């Protein structure tokens, strides 16, 4: 079900936002089933994602959206009025997903993802000035996972608890540690 939903969304993103290789989509949500679906569908489309923490000041959120040149910002409807003046298309996943469910089950498209394309961009804290975006490719992500497997046998874990923000490295360690090893992911 998750794969089918992510495929439909990925297809929709490609058609609606004219995604090209290494394009970025922002994702500004708390950790939830919606944010997980958002991440997987963005990756499946071939775009990369930029996690933007809801607790950041609005000026910083806007800076990240503009600096990363995101093609679309994924949110939940509770944040709609927080992003209304961001001048970027917004996709409210908890409301608009109903439209996506109407797509045929067998949509086909070609993912733009390769080992060299961007999986996500995480921003530094910006304590010495403006935050900087650090680009992580699909290959970097797999190498990181393989390093975790070599050092701590992360695949031996069968249950993972995601408590950290998706915009932090620890959040990505838990998220991809579970997804790439087949473990059960618990969202807190």
């Amino acid at each position: 079900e998750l794969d089918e939903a992510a495929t439909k969304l990925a297809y929709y993103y490609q058609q609606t936002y004219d995604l090209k290789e290494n394009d970025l989509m922002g994702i500004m949500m708390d950790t939830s089933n919606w944010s997980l679906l958002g991440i997987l569908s963005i990756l499946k489309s071939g775009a990369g994602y930029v996690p933007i923490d809801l607790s950041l000041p609005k000026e910083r959120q806007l800076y990240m959206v503009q600096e990363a040149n995101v093609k679309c910002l994924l949110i939940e409807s509770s944040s709609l009025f927080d992003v209304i003046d961001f001048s970027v298309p917004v996709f409210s996943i908890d409301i608009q997903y109903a439209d996506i469910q109407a797509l045929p089950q067998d949509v086909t498209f070609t993912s733009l993802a390769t080992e060299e394309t961007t999986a996500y961009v995480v921003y530094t804290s910006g304590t010495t000035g403006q935050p900087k975006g650090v680009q992580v490719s699909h290959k970097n992500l797999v190498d990181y996972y393989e390093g975790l497997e070599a050092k701590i046998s992360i695949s031996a874990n069968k249950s993972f608890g995601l408590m950290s923000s998706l915009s932090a490295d620890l959040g990505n360690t838990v998220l991809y540690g579970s997804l790439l090893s087949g473990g059960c992911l618990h969202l807190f």
Side-chain angles (χ1 to χ4, degrees):
E1 289 174 9
L2 180 59
D3 182 53
E4 181 182 307
T7 298
K8 286 181 177 183
L9 278 168
Y11 173 81
Y12 176 84
Y13 300 152
Q14 281 190 352
Q15 299 302 308
T16 305
Y17 305 113
D18 191 33
L19 297 178
K20 306 284 188 264
E21 207 171 83
N22 290 316
D23 278 345
L24 298 172
M25 294 181 66
I27 184 161
M28 198 166 99
M29 295 184 233
D30 284 326
T31 303
S32 68
N33 290 342
W34 288 122
S35 59
L36 180 62
L37 176 58
I39 287 170
L40 293 175
S41 59
I42 291 169
L43 291 174
K44 197 165 205 176
S45 76
Y49 67 92
V50 180
I52 302 168
D53 199 308
L54 286 168
S55 66
L56 291 173
K58 187 172 184 174
E59 296 77 25
R60 173 126 177 223
Q61 293 170 343
L62 183 57
Y63 170 81
M64 292 166 65
V65 165
Q66 291 173 338
E67 205 269 332
N69 195 29
V70 300
K71 299 280 279 210
C72 175
L73 182 61
L74 267 65
I75 63 164
E76 287 187 70
S77 58
S78 58
S79 299
L80 189 56
F81 290 107
D82 297 331
V83 300
I84 205 148
D85 56 348
F86 276 26
S87 300
V88 64
V90 172
F91 183 82
S92 183
I93 195 166
D94 56 330
I95 293 174
Q96 293 177 267
Y97 179 69
D99 297 336
I100 306 309
Q101 286 180 303
L103 290 173
Q105 286 188 320
D106 58 346
V107 296
T108 57
F109 69 99
T110 303
S111 178
L112 304 170
T114 70
E115 65 180 23
E116 300 301 329
T117 56
T118 303
Y120 64 91
V121 173
V122 65
Y123 273 80
T124 62
S125 62
T127 54
T128 59
Q130 291 288 25
K132 308 266 186 305
V134 178
Q135 202 169 1
V136 177
S137 71
H138 289 267
K139 182 179 181 178
N140 297 146
L141 187 55
V142 171
D143 285 347
Y144 179 64
Y145 172 78
E146 288 176 351
L148 290 171
E149 181 62 26
K151 292 290 184 190
I152 64 171
S153 300
I154 197 166
S155 67
N157 296 305
K158 298 302 174 210
S159 189
F160 295 78
L162 182 54
M163 299 177 70
S164 181
S165 167
L166 295 171
S167 59
D169 281 334
L170 181 56
N172 290 307
T173 300
V174 172
L175 175 66
Y176 293 107
S178 67
L179 293 176
L180 295 175
S181 70
C184 181
L185 179 62
H186 301 274
L187 305 175
F188 296 101

